[in-house]
Every structure is written in structure tokens, then in C-alpha cells.
Amino acid sequence: MRSGVVAVAGRPNVGKSTLVNALVGEKVAIVSDKPQTTRRRIFGVANGADYQLVLADLPGFQRPRDALTERMQHTVDAAFEGIDGVLLVLSARERIGAGDRFIAERVFRLGVPVVIALNKVDRLKAGHIAEQMTAASRLGDFHALHPVSAKTGDGIGALRDELVSLLPEGPLYFPEEQRSDLSLELQIAELVREKALWLTRDEVPHAISVEVDEIGEKLVRALILVETESQKQIVVGRGGAVVKQIGTRARPEIEALLGHPVFLELVVKVRPRWRRDEATLDRLGV
Ligand SMILES: Nc1nc2c(ncn2[C@@H]2O[C@H](COP(=O)(O)OP(=O)(O)O)[C@@H](O)[C@H]2O)c(=O)[nH]1
Ligand SMILES: [Mg+2]
């Protein structure tokens, strides 16, 4: 039995969370087109007949601006202790540049094998992929480099095998049926937040947070927290249209998680400066 933890690093939006979901084979981390979607470390667990690969999906590296981003950066730093390898994710669709090098310098210093995933190769020409692989290979002394598409699943099997080969002999860290370390409350809160992120823009996504306060047989109730009255109006939408869309999109996934139909009640509430409030952050599990 091989088992261990591989930390997933890379710039915002390169597809780290999508890749973790693809490697696990189930949705454990939410994904959006907005930076800073991932606010806390999430363990995604991929099990095979003779391995347990634990992937630590992380917030991106950033300079802390408030209590929230300070905790996010602390999470990233702490996650690099006691790991068996790093999966450095790059986007083949963007120039491999200073942002990638900044992160690469930190991960190559850790003294564990670094596997590079050149993600988003779907619909790219072979010549372009080859150029990007050359650029990626200059980032440091990597263990292996895999072009993949988290979206189509291309190259994911080979990447998983590569990561498993880094793991030492070890025990099962999670029960076999468990795919992530998030509680049910947090999984539901994340699903609601994901839908809210896709439906908002500018500064609003950063100001949104979700707290689940009831999970019943028939009813799930969640608070969507924002920081100002104008953000609340945006999230509620004209005649409640936006919050209704959030509910329509989140409910089927919540029902799949719970295994039965539920009524999803969403309440949008202003909580000024929650991003600076340590007690709120504790409750949100950040
Ligand atoms: N075309 C394409 N888009 C992808 C792929 N992987 C992720 N994305 C998109 O990239 C965006 C950011 O993904 P996410 O996983 O949240 O990135 P993270 O911030 O690194 O965790 C989302 O819009 C994803 O749908 C891929 O393999 N191909
Ligand atoms: Mg993410």
C-alpha cells in the first residue's frame, strides 16, 4: 500500500481545483472563472487498489490584505510541511511568466519531487503545446512533465500514476469511501458559493461567503453573506432573480450529495467587514 500527500501549487485560475477533481474522479473542490475561489485547503482523496493519493488543493499564493487573505496565505505555507511531492500546475493557454516563476522558485526549494502539469492543452495545436512544454521545463529541476486537460480528462490517468509513484509505503489516511476532508456543511456552503461566484463579478465574488445553518430531512438553509447593502442588491437581483438562479443551480448538486430531495432556502445578509472578522472566519472554516 502506497499513501501520501501531494500539494497542488500554481497561479490563480490555471485549473488546480479542476485538476484535483479530475484526479479524484469526483467534484471535491469548487471551480469558477474568478480568482481566489479556493479559500481554504481541501484534501481530495484518490483511491486505487493499492494506493491512497491525497491531493491538497490550495488557495493561490498572494500578499495578505486582510484577515481572510492572511489566513489563506498561512494555509499555503503550512501545507508544504510533510508532503511527498508537489504538483505544479501551469496553464498552456497563457504565457509562462513571472507569476509562474515566483511559485516555481518556492516549490523547487522544498526538496521533494516536483511534477509539472501543463494544463488546458485541449484545443491547442501540437506546435504550441511543444513550445509551452519547453518554457515549462525551464522553471526548475522537475521530476516529470505532463501535458493534460483537466476539462476533457486527457492525460489524467498517466499523471495520476506518476503522482502515485512518488508515494512511500503507508496506511490509509481516510476511509475508503471518503473523497474529501470537508464536512457536509462546508461542502454545501461551497456549492452555493460556487454558483454565486459564477453569477457575480467585479468586487462582489470576493465579498461573498456562505454559512449553512440548517440541514434537515426536507430543508437546507444557508446564509449568503456580503459586506454592503449594494452587494446584497446585486446578489438578490431584480425581484430575487439572481438568488433564485443560485438556488436552481445549487439544489441538484446538494440533493446528489445528500441523496434525497430538499427545499433550499437561501437568505442574503449583510455582515459588514466579515473578511476582517476572525470569529466569522472561524465559523466559515477558513
Ligand atoms: N479549457 C480548459 N479550461 C480549464 C481547464 N481546467 C480548468 N479550466 C477552467 O479554468 C478556470 C479556473 O479553474 P479552477 O480549477 O478554479 O482554477 P484554480 O484557481 O487554479 O483552482 C475555470 O473556468 C475552469 O473551467 C482545462 O483543462 N481546459
Ligand atoms: Mg482553486
Side-chain angles (χ1 to χ4, degrees), residues 54-205:
V54 181
L55 296 148
D57 185 22
L58 300 169
F61 282 97
Q62 59 185 328
R63 188 163 295 131
R65 280 173 284 106
D66 48 33
L68 172 64
T69 43
E70 199 174 295
R71 285 188 184 206
M72 286 162 66
Q73 186 51 46
H74 180 75
T75 298
V76 175
D77 295 334
F80 287 120
E81 285 159 27
I83 51 170
D84 300 298
V86 175
L87 177 60
L88 174 61
V89 186
L90 310 171
S91 167
R93 276 169 196 266
E94 278 153 80
R95 229 179 72 80
I96 293 167
D100 301 297
R101 278 196 297 276
F102 173 74
I103 293 164
E105 276 164 24
R106 299 177 79 152
V107 302
F108 281 107
R109 273 203 305 253
L110 294 171
V112 294
V114 176
V115 172
I116 299 178
L118 182 64
N119 189 33
K120 307 198 190 187
V121 298
D122 45 290
R123 288 179 293 137
L124 290 189
K125 293 218 172 71
H128 185 60
I129 296 171
E131 274 170 35
Q132 291 288 63
M133 285 180 74
T134 307
S137 68
R138 292 202 189 100
L139 287 173
D141 188 12
F142 60 92
H143 176 80
L145 197 168
H146 287 253
V148 298
S149 168
K151 207 163 208 170
T152 64
D154 252 8
I156 298 300
L159 176 61
R160 194 189 294 114
D161 293 345
E162 186 81 66
L163 296 175
V164 168
S165 78
L166 303 179
L167 305 179
E169 271 188 31
L172 282 183
Y173 293 107
F174 291 91
E176 241 171 302
E177 66 287 350
Q178 201 173 323
R179 286 289 162 278
S180 97
D181 65 330
L182 290 192
S183 67
L184 194 57
E185 277 87 352
L186 284 177
Q187 287 180 64
I188 292 173
E190 286 287 271
L191 287 173
V192 173
R193 190 164 67 84
E194 176 180 60
K195 308 312 172 195
L197 292 181
W198 281 105
L199 290 166
T200 55
R201 57 198 166 86
D202 303 323
E203 93 293 354
V204 182

Side-chain angles (χ1 to χ4, degrees), residues 11-18 30-33 38 93 119-120 122-123 149-151 198:
R11 284 197 296 145
N13 265 24
V14 293
K16 297 181 294 296
S17 296
T18 312
I30 63 165
V31 168
S32 91
D33 56 348
T38 308
R93 276 169 196 266
N119 189 33
K120 307 198 190 187
D122 45 290
R123 288 179 293 137
S149 168
K151 207 163 208 170
W198 281 105

